[in-house]
């Protein structure tokens, strides 16, 4: 597959002000305007309270995003005590926080419980026993395993259970004093197949009916995340996915069910551009290698799992294929192959759009590499 570009396009125009200040690279520029637009799109779904959006804070946990979400009626999904503390320090109400991690340290459960969070996700009996011992009487959503074949970052190998196990978990939850309250699933991160949501909703509907037959009253259906963004190809839009969800819920689930979604990548991904510089180049056999000051360890970890970033330059000349690598001494620090660009000079800028999610939040200082600073700009 050929991908890359010889020109910086209008989508990255908001980085110009930051570039003019000669910031050290690599750095990430976030467009406040674009984030607010997407938060408003998700937040508007919450008007009738039958569907609520909770930003998956792990996608990008910069505290400056918190008021943007709150101002647009979007809550937060947290998966760790650290994320929770960040929100609580900024006076986010527990009513606007959910936790969807099926496996939680006891200290996290205890802190969440004392903060007023009374609903947790589980996919094992051991997790239920742990929750009941720390947060007795809590509401429980069971994590249902669904097909992740349409996603570019599958999540079904670590979490989720089949329908037979799921119904037993719901029954057991009620038997020990917890409250079986609903079902959650995740179609996989960056899910590019629209039908994946329909199939998952049908699976959840079957489990819901089994719960009713078992005398269990469920109230909540959490669809997780998975909303995709454009990297190197067009993907289903948020509107398309939510329209499908709305129709499926009306036909498959009882009236009044509470629907939750957890956009992370879709909320901030396309609002971010990673700015890097060329630090080296070489010819290895017949392959041209381009080395950037950002790589898999300090910003582009998802490239190891199949995410295909686009690379933009302002160069001109003959376009040729490159292997793009990061700055560390580790041989796995290869970001992409077959990236078609004109030959750059050392020191030239390379722009990586759609980099607002799962970049800085994944970053480490391995090998002393610089973690990208985040700059938030407002256009207009």
């Amino acid at each position: 597959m050929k991908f890359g570009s010889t020109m910086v396009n209008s989508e990255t125009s908001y980085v110009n002000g930051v570039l003019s200040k000669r910031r050290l690279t690599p750095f990430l520029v976030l467009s406040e305007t674009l984030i607010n637009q997407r938060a408003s799109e998700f937040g508007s779904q919450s008007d009738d309270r039958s569907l609520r959006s909770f930003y998956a804070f792990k996608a990008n946990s910069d505290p400056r995003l918190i008021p943007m979400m709150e101002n647009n009626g979007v809550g937060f999904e947290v998966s760790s005590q650290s994320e929770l503390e960040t929100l609580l320090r900024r006076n986010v109400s527990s009513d606007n926080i959910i936790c969807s991690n099926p496996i939680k340290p006891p200290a996290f459960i205890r802190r969440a419980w004392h903060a007023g969070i009374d609903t947790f996700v589980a996919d094992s009996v051991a997790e239920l026993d742990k929750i009941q011992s720390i947060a007795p009487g809590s509401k429980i959503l069971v994590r249902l395993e669904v097909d992740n074949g349409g996603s570019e970052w599958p999540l079904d190998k670590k979490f989720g259970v089949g329908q037979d196990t799921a119904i037993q978990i719901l029954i057991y939850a009620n038997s020990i004093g917890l409250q079986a309250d609903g079902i959650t699933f995740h179609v996989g991160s960056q899910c590019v197949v629209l039908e994946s949501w329909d199939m998952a909703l049908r699976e959840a509907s079957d489990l819901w009916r089994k719960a009713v037959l078992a005398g269990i009253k469920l109230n909540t259906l959490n669809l997780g995340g998975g909303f995709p963004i454009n990297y190197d190809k067009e993907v289903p839009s948020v509107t398309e996915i939510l329209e499908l969800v709305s129709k499926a819920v009306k036909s498959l689930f009882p009236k009044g069910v509470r629907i939750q979604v957890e956009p992370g990548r879709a909320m901030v991904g396309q609002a971010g551009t990673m700015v890097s510089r060329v630090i080296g180049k070489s010819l290895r056999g017949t392959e041209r290698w381009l080395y950037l000051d950002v790589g898999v360890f300090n910003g582009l970890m998802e490239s190891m799992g199949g995410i295909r970033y686009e690379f933009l330059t302002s160069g001109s000349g003959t376009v040729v294929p490159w292997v793009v690598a990061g700055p560390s001494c580790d041989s796995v620090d290869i970001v992409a192959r077959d990236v078609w660009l004109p030959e750059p000079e050392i020191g030239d800028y390379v722009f990586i759009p759609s980099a607002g999610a799962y970049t800085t939040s994944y970053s480490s200082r391995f090998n002393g590499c610089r973690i990208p600073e985040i700059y938030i700009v407002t256009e207009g």
Side-chain angles (χ1 to χ4, degrees):
M1 176 185 292
K2 297 181 181 181
F3 65 109
S5 175
T6 61
M7 297 186 65
V8 178
N9 62 23
S10 59
E11 292 181 356
T12 63
S13 62
Y14 56 84
V15 308
N16 290 334
V18 180
L19 282 177
S20 68
K21 297 180 180 179
R22 299 291 181 179
R23 305 290 191 184
L24 288 175
T25 57
F27 60 82
L28 176 68
V29 184
L30 291 176
S31 165
E32 182 176 5
T33 301
L34 294 178
I35 293 172
N36 276 316
Q37 287 175 356
R38 186 49 61 88
S40 176
E41 184 178 4
F42 276 105
S44 65
Q45 305 295 324
S46 303
D47 290 343
D48 62 1
R49 310 300 287 184
S50 63
L51 184 151
R52 286 210 63 194
S53 298
F54 296 85
Y55 170 55
F57 202 43
K58 58 184 173 289
N60 188 316
S61 54
D62 191 296
R64 290 171 291 179
L65 300 180
I66 295 173
M68 299 183 206
M69 302 303 160
E70 291 190 305
N71 291 341
N72 287 287
V74 175
F76 302 88
E77 187 278 325
V78 298
S79 296
S80 70
Q81 186 170 344
S82 177
E83 291 175 340
L84 175 60
E85 298 291 0
T86 298
L87 297 178
L88 295 178
R89 283 195 298 270
R90 286 157 180 83
N91 299 314
V92 176
S93 169
S94 61
D95 292 338
N96 294 324
I97 304 173
I98 63 173
C99 169
S100 292
N101 192 342
I103 306 295
K104 299 161 287 298
F108 175 33
I109 298 173
R110 186 173 296 107
R111 183 68 177 100
W113 175 251
H114 287 300
I117 297 172
D118 65 354
T119 303
F120 300 97
V121 171
D123 61 3
S124 69
V125 167
E127 190 71 10
L128 294 179
D129 289 337
K130 181 171 59 180
I131 293 171
Q132 177 62 359
S133 69
I134 300 169
S138 293
K139 298 174 184 176
I140 297 296
L141 306 185
V142 65
R143 174 74 171 259
L144 177 66
E145 181 182 12
V146 298
D147 181 63
N148 276 205
S151 73
E152 296 185 355
W153 195 276
L155 301 171
D156 56 338
K157 303 304 180 186
K158 186 175 182 181
F159 300 121
V161 292
Q163 289 197 21
D164 291 343
T165 302
I167 192 66
Q168 293 304 314
I169 286 174
L170 292 172
I171 292 171
Y172 183 74
N174 279 349
S175 74
I176 63 172
L178 296 167
Q179 302 176 55
D181 189 66
I183 301 167
T184 182
F185 61 78
H186 203 301
V187 293
S189 193
Q190 184 67 5
C191 184
V192 298
V193 177
L194 192 60
E195 291 75 17
S196 293
W197 275 271
D198 185 65
M199 291 189 297
L201 285 165
R202 293 183 184 280
E203 282 281 323
S205 175
D206 289 343
L207 177 57
W208 196 287
R209 285 194 294 270
K210 291 178 180 177
V212 171
L213 291 175
I216 300 172
K217 177 175 172 51
L218 301 180
N219 302 291
T220 305
L221 178 64
N222 182 306
L223 281 61
F227 298 89
I229 64 172
N230 296 332
Y231 286 106
D232 61 324
K233 61 185 176 184
E234 291 293 319
V235 297
S237 69
V238 170
T239 299
E240 288 177 304
I241 296 169
L242 291 180
E243 285 179 352
L244 181 152
V245 167
S246 178
K247 291 178 181 178
V249 168
K250 287 179 181 178
S251 65
L252 296 173
F253 293 88
K255 186 177 181 180
V257 59
R258 292 194 298 266
I259 308 299
Q260 299 174 342
V261 294
E262 302 173 6
R265 186 187 309 276
M267 193 72 80
V268 297
Q270 286 185 233
T273 295
M274 187 71 73
V275 180
S276 64
R277 273 184 159 167
V278 176
I279 61 171
K281 55 185 181 177
S282 67
L283 182 65
R284 304 180 63 79
T286 60
E287 290 185 324
R288 297 177 180 84
W289 284 66
L290 192 66
Y291 300 88
L292 306 181
D293 55 13
V294 66
V296 299
F297 297 109
N298 67 329
L300 302 177
M301 175 64 75
E302 284 200 310
S303 62
M304 297 185 71
I307 297 300
R308 305 283 287 186
Y309 293 101
E310 187 179 12
F311 298 83
L312 308 176
T313 73
S314 57
S316 60
T318 303
V319 177
V320 294
W322 295 88
V323 177
V324 177
S328 77
C329 291
D330 199 304
S331 62
V332 305
D333 193 3
I334 298 173
V335 178
R337 295 179 181 273
D338 205 21
V339 177
W340 289 68
L341 297 169
E343 181 157 354
E345 298 301 322
I346 292 175
D348 282 357
Y349 286 108
V350 175
F351 304 91
I352 307 167
S354 296
Y358 301 110
T359 49
T360 53
S361 59
Y362 265 140
S363 293
S364 76
R365 296 189 183 278
F366 172 71
N367 212 177
C369 295
R370 174 183 171 82
I371 292 179
E373 194 78 29
I374 299 177
Y375 300 100
I376 299 179
V377 299
T378 303
E379 305 104 289

